[in-house]
Amino acid sequence: MPPKGKARAFKSKPSLPSKASASIQVQSKGDPPKPFQPSPKHLEPFLPNLSKSHVYITHIDAKPRDFKRNIFAVPVLMNLVIIGLIVWRITIVGPFYMKICSSLMGKTNETTMRTANLPFNEIKSEILRRSMTFMVDLLIYSFVWPWPKAFFLGQTIANPVMWRLRVGFRDKEIIVRRSRRWYNAAENVLDEGTGQDLFLSNVYQAVDPMWMSEKTGYLMLSKDWDLDWKLMILAHKLVDKHDMNFSDFKTTILVHSEEFGWVVIQSAAAGGSAKEEEGRRKIVAFKDELTAMGKENLFFRWIELVQFESIQPGGFGPERQQETMAKAKRLFEDQGVDFDRFWAKVGGMQGMPGMDDM
């Protein structure tokens, strides 16, 4: 099971597109409605392997390979420990079950109960003890064993171990996510309505650049999305054979429509407008630089300051932004960070959400 991420102060969900931008607007006859577009030709070698009953998200995981190796070591060790405990349990309880089976076949042993010669309380106690043993082992088989089984032996969409054995650890890896049961409720996602709202809500959250920048691909398993190990292996095979390129798997949402076939939401549209995407990337660079300096608390205090100032009466115009920057400068310098030099290092404030007039 992937570990839970730590809580963050800046955790607002990415906003959905407005009704104007997400409404049904047919571009031309035969084209899907916005924000969807026909699947590009370069995806044709990949598309026949997708299931029409799922939504897929592809993206490139550019985290360092050593980081990915360390992350993957955690579930490997966890599942090996689980297997070890199950084997230990089998060695402890196995002989007990074998003796019960022998007793049922008429071979007398210490598990054989001659109820005619036993007090009722002793019979009741032994039945309760054996029932508890059976229940514990049934729960282990039903709820614990499936974890390592799926991790090492899963066949439906392959398994993580097969993925790592075939692909290895690379600095650039193709990640393919597949929708879970929620998509069954999102009928007619190309038509404006509840189904499309659910679809856009789930996929826009799943491709939020700030959220994605903090996670390696393996940690993107969630209640809404599976990782399709088989498709990830196939995608790398296609790239290795030069049938496709890494750039073909940039952040893309793929969904099948009976009317238009496979349609996609690509590039900036997958995470909102280009301006919104740039703003999120600038925030990520801002946070990463402060974290590297050991001043991550400054990031959260900055966010709190900007959010507080932006909701004050009178709006967050140029004058209020200048005042906010003066307060932020004092905040930084109180902790020994040169405000002007810091912003020069991360590329300036241009593109930061709410700082349009800076």
Side-chain angles (χ1 to χ4, degrees):
M1 294 175 66
K4 296 181 180 178
K6 65 179 182 179
R8 301 175 183 84
F10 191 73
K11 188 64 177 175
S12 59
K13 294 181 180 179
S15 59
L16 291 177
S18 65
K19 287 292 183 181
S21 62
S23 62
I24 302 304
Q25 301 172 20
V26 178
Q27 298 166 335
S28 62
K29 187 176 181 180
D31 285 343
K34 292 181 180 180
F36 303 94
Q37 55 186 286
S39 173
K41 289 186 177 181
H42 61 72
L43 288 177
E44 288 180 357
F46 184 64
L47 295 179
N49 303 282
L50 308 185
S51 168
K52 297 178 181 179
S53 59
H54 292 279
V55 180
Y56 294 89
I57 297 176
T58 66
H59 81 277
I60 305 300
D61 182 0
K63 291 286 189 296
R65 68 177 67 190
D66 289 340
F67 177 72
K68 295 167 184 170
R69 188 178 288 110
N70 293 336
I71 291 294
F72 193 71
V74 174
V76 169
L77 293 174
M78 183 183 298
N79 282 284
L80 287 175
V81 168
I82 291 173
I83 290 175
L85 292 174
I86 291 175
V87 171
W88 172 81
R89 175 68 181 174
I90 291 173
T91 61
I92 295 298
V93 79
F96 170 69
Y97 287 122
M98 293 298 294
K99 289 176 182 178
I100 287 181
C101 290
S102 296
S103 179
L104 291 174
M105 290 186 291
K107 296 181 180 180
T108 303
N109 56 55
E110 59 265 38
T111 65
T112 304
M113 295 180 64
R114 302 186 181 280
T115 55
N117 302 324
L118 291 174
F120 175 75
N121 286 341
E122 187 173 337
I123 294 173
K124 182 175 68 173
S125 176
E126 184 63 19
I127 291 175
L128 181 62
R129 186 182 71 84
R130 294 187 183 187
S131 297
M132 291 298 294
T133 300
F134 297 156
M135 181 61 67
V136 168
D137 292 323
L138 178 62
L139 291 174
I140 291 174
Y141 178 78
S142 299
F143 298 103
V144 180
W145 165 240
W147 295 352
K149 180 182 178 182
F151 189 80
F152 290 102
L153 303 172
Q155 295 297 320
T156 304
I157 53 175
N159 57 74
V161 172
M162 182 183 297
W163 168 55
R164 282 306 182 195
L165 289 175
R166 300 279 183 87
V167 175
F169 295 92
R170 309 187 187 190
D171 289 325
K172 289 176 65 177
E173 294 178 357
I174 301 165
I175 303 299
V176 182
R177 282 176 282 172
R178 188 180 79 166
S179 61
R180 293 196 174 188
R181 291 183 178 179
W182 65 266
Y183 182 60
N184 296 333
E187 297 180 358
N188 302 320
V189 298
L190 271 66
D191 295 334
E192 187 174 14
T194 303
Q196 189 185 79
D197 289 344
L198 174 63
F199 171 81
L200 293 175
S201 174
N202 279 338
V203 298
Y204 282 162
Q205 288 182 49
V207 297
D208 176 48
M210 188 169 183
W211 180 80
M212 290 176 64
S213 70
E214 297 177 350
K215 293 181 179 289
T216 186
Y218 185 79
L219 298 182
M220 291 185 178
L221 283 164
S222 69
K223 64 182 180 64
D224 294 323
W225 299 95
D226 270 321
L227 289 175
D228 197 313
W229 316 107
K230 186 178 293 185
L231 286 177
M232 287 153 65
I233 294 170
L234 172 66
H236 280 278
K237 185 177 180 180
L238 291 170
V239 171
D240 292 343
K241 291 170 61 179
H242 304 291
D243 292 332
M244 297 182 70
N245 299 315
F246 271 106
S247 59
D248 297 334
F249 295 97
K250 64 185 178 181
T251 305
T252 303
I253 300 160
L254 301 102
V255 59
H256 189 269
S257 163
E258 292 297 329
E259 182 177 359
F260 302 103
W262 284 101
V263 296
V264 304
I265 306 177
Q266 256 184 343
S267 303
S273 68
K275 181 179 178 181
E276 289 171 341
E277 184 177 8
E278 176 60 26
R280 294 187 187 109
R281 287 176 177 170
K282 181 59 70 79
I283 289 176
V284 170
F286 173 40
K287 180 177 181 291
D288 289 347
E289 183 63 26
L290 285 173
T291 301
M293 297 169 64
K295 302 288 184 179
E296 188 176 9
N297 65 310
L298 268 178
F299 169 76
F300 298 112
R301 295 184 68 182
W302 161 277
I303 294 298
E304 290 169 358
L305 174 64
V306 173
Q307 288 181 337
F308 175 78
E309 294 293 340
S310 64
I311 62 174
Q312 296 308 303
F316 198 51
E319 186 176 345
R320 178 62 61 79
Q321 290 181 25
Q322 292 289 350
E323 293 174 0
T324 302
M325 288 307 98
K327 294 178 181 179
K329 185 172 183 178
R330 290 194 296 270
L331 187 66
F332 274 56
E333 292 178 350
D334 286 345
Q335 295 204 28
V337 178
D338 188 308
F339 189 74
D340 296 326
R341 183 178 297 176
F342 171 82
W343 281 109
K345 190 172 183 179
V346 298
M349 297 181 193
Q350 292 76 16
M352 286 289 288
M355 298 294 143
D356 301 328
D357 299 308
M358 294 301 297

